[in-house]
């Protein structure tokens, strides 16, 4: 096998460039909060993501899609900062291979490849994905002068959702807005994610109906359980700012390949993801929920499009017969 860099070419994709631009500030924030290890982890993951796709395309188009760069970044941003490199490598190879390439490559994958890889290592290496967290780095330059922040050794100092599930206590809203909390690399700063979501909507890169319906479904279902007295479900605002729901709604659920193509299908798809996230968070073993909710939503995406198109065609049929 010839691994010469001269044979590696990228397929230019304008939409992927816009997503890349929106992710760069979040990557920088991840480095600021948790240290330069975030950058090192991203480089390693990106290298193996590109290599995995290249192995499949080298004898055909000889081009790697820029979408695989987005997959690598998104996958990295869903990881805890101190995730071992070998686990991250296994995860991204599995995600690109079984979440994308086995279905025929870009444009044919039914599931979000980044989440496929994340779910695989989450189930197989739960200790590294659910227990080992990192404190945000203090100081003006933050993690830009540090390899990795201090590891957390107590549940009361871990992520906002884990703290709430274990003690019932809530983290300060201000910390969750600006990102001064433990958690996965890209999900900590709610404010930054919201700003990047506005950019994606403004540039028509992400489907706004998907984003808003995910959030609406989450808020509705969360409110129902919270005001019904279920203590394991936090208040809707706290739940919205904690646990990666914003990151998932903006960057993961809006994947144009694995989400519905019809407007009505995207609405139902988003509502489904939001509702399932609350149920998993409150009543399952997983404190997050958004990852599995989106994969479940991916499963139903083709069915939703088929249902919407069938209804539209049925409504048109009497008109055609009348003619």
């Amino acid at each position: 096998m010839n691994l010469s860099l001269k044979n590696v070419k990228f397929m230019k994709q304008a939409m992927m460039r816009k997503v890349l631009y929106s992710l760069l500030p979040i990557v920088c924030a991840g480095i600021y909060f948790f240290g330069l290890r975030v950058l090192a982890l991203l480089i390693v993951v990106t290298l193996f993501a590109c290599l995995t796709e290249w192995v499949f395309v080298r004898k055909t188009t000889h081009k790697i899609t820029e979408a695989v760069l987005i997959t690598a970044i998104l996958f990295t941003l869903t990881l805890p900062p101190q995730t071992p490199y070998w686990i991250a490598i296994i995860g991204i190879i599995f995600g690109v291979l079984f979440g994308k390439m086995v279905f025929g490559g870009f444009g044919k994958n039914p599931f979000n490849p980044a989440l496929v890889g994340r779910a695989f290592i989450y189930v197989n290496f739960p200790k590294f994905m659910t227990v080992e967290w990192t404190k945000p780095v203090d100081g003006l330059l933050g993690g830009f002068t540090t390899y990795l922040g201090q590891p957390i050794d107590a549940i009361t100092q871990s992520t906002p959702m884990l703290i709430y599930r274990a003690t019932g206590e809530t983290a300060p809203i201000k910390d969750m807005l600006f990102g001064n909390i433990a958690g996965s690399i890209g999900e900590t700063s709610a404010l930054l994610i919201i700003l990047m979501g506005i950019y994606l909507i403004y540039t028509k890169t992400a489907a706004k109906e998907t984003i808003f319906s995910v959030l609406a479904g989450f808020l509705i279902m969360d409110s129902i359980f919270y005001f019904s007295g279920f203590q394991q479900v936090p208040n809707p605002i706290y739940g919205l700012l904690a646990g990666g729901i914003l990151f998932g709604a903006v960057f993961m659920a809006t994947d144009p390949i694995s989400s519905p193509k019809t407007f009505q299908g995207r609405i139902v798809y988003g509502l489904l993801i939001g509702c399932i996230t609350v149920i998993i968070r409150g009543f399952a073993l997983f404190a997050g929920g958004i990852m599995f909710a989106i994969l479940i939503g991916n499963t139903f995406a083709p069915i939703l499009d088929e249902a919407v198109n069938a209804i539209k065609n049925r409504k048109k049929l009497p008109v055609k017969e009348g003619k």
Side-chain angles (χ1 to χ4, degrees):
M1 181 184 298
N2 183 9
L3 297 179
S4 173
L5 293 178
K6 294 181 181 179
N7 296 328
V8 178
K9 298 179 182 179
F10 283 87
M11 179 190 303
K12 295 182 178 180
Q13 297 171 295
M15 182 177 291
M16 293 299 107
R17 293 282 181 91
K18 294 176 183 178
V19 178
L20 177 62
Y21 298 152
S22 69
L23 287 171
L24 289 179
I26 297 180
V27 170
C28 291
I31 298 172
Y32 175 82
F33 289 122
F34 300 115
L36 291 170
R37 191 180 191 278
V38 170
L39 179 59
L41 188 64
L42 177 60
I43 292 173
V44 171
V45 167
T46 303
L47 175 63
F48 278 89
C50 293
L51 182 60
T52 303
E53 182 164 317
W54 178 78
V55 167
F56 282 84
V57 304
R58 71 188 192 282
K59 292 184 178 180
T60 54
T61 64
H62 294 279
K63 290 184 179 180
I64 304 171
T65 61
E66 290 184 344
V68 77
L69 301 177
I70 304 303
T71 296
I73 297 174
L74 289 174
F75 174 80
T76 304
L77 292 176
T78 65
L79 301 177
Q82 51 181 316
T83 302
Y85 290 106
W86 64 272
I87 289 181
I89 292 171
I90 292 174
I92 193 60
I93 292 176
F94 186 91
V96 174
L97 177 58
F98 291 101
K100 179 180 178 181
M101 302 313 298
V102 295
F103 295 103
F106 177 76
K108 300 178 181 179
N109 51 289
F111 301 100
N112 185 307
L115 288 181
V116 170
R118 216 274 188 178
F120 180 76
I121 61 175
Y122 188 94
V123 172
N124 287 280
F125 310 104
K127 174 187 175 183
F128 300 102
M129 306 302 293
T130 61
V131 177
E132 298 188 356
W133 300 101
T134 306
K135 291 181 181 179
V137 180
D138 295 325
L140 181 63
L141 296 178
F144 285 100
T145 58
T146 305
Y147 176 67
L148 181 66
Q150 182 180 352
I152 289 173
D153 55 7
I155 190 66
T156 54
Q157 297 176 319
S158 60
T159 69
M161 283 305 303
L162 287 174
I163 294 173
Y164 182 84
R165 289 184 62 149
T167 67
E169 298 179 0
T170 57
I173 296 295
K174 182 186 69 173
D175 289 346
M176 292 193 294
L177 274 174
F178 291 100
N180 191 30
I181 54 173
S184 297
I185 295 169
E187 71 178 22
T188 57
S189 177
L191 181 59
L192 186 57
I193 295 171
I194 292 171
L195 291 175
M196 294 304 100
I198 293 173
Y199 165 77
L200 290 176
I201 292 173
Y202 177 77
T203 57
K204 298 181 179 180
T205 305
K208 59 181 181 296
E209 58 271 17
T210 299
I211 297 175
F212 292 140
S213 58
V214 170
L215 300 181
F218 177 86
L219 291 173
I220 292 170
M221 185 62 73
D222 192 285
S223 298
I224 291 173
F225 283 119
Y226 177 73
F227 291 109
S228 296
F230 289 86
Q231 296 182 354
Q232 62 267 50
V233 177
N235 73 74
I237 301 302
Y238 184 84
L240 188 65
L241 298 178
I245 180 68
L246 286 174
F247 185 84
V250 172
F251 294 106
M252 296 295 195
T254 53
D255 174 27
I257 306 303
S258 57
S259 61
K261 308 301 182 290
T262 59
F263 177 86
Q264 296 85 348
R266 288 194 288 263
I267 295 294
V268 177
Y269 167 80
L271 292 173
L272 180 69
I273 291 173
C275 292
I276 293 175
T277 299
V278 176
I279 295 172
I280 294 176
R281 275 189 180 187
F283 305 98
L285 296 174
F286 312 110
I290 184 65
M291 169 181 63
F292 292 109
I294 293 175
L295 290 174
I296 292 172
N298 291 161
T299 304
F300 285 96
I303 301 174
L304 292 173
D305 280 338
E306 287 291 334
V308 169
N309 290 329
I311 293 173
K312 288 181 177 180
N313 292 333
R314 186 178 301 174
K315 289 181 178 180
K316 292 178 180 179
L317 188 60
V319 177
K320 292 182 180 180
E321 290 180 348
K323 292 181 180 180

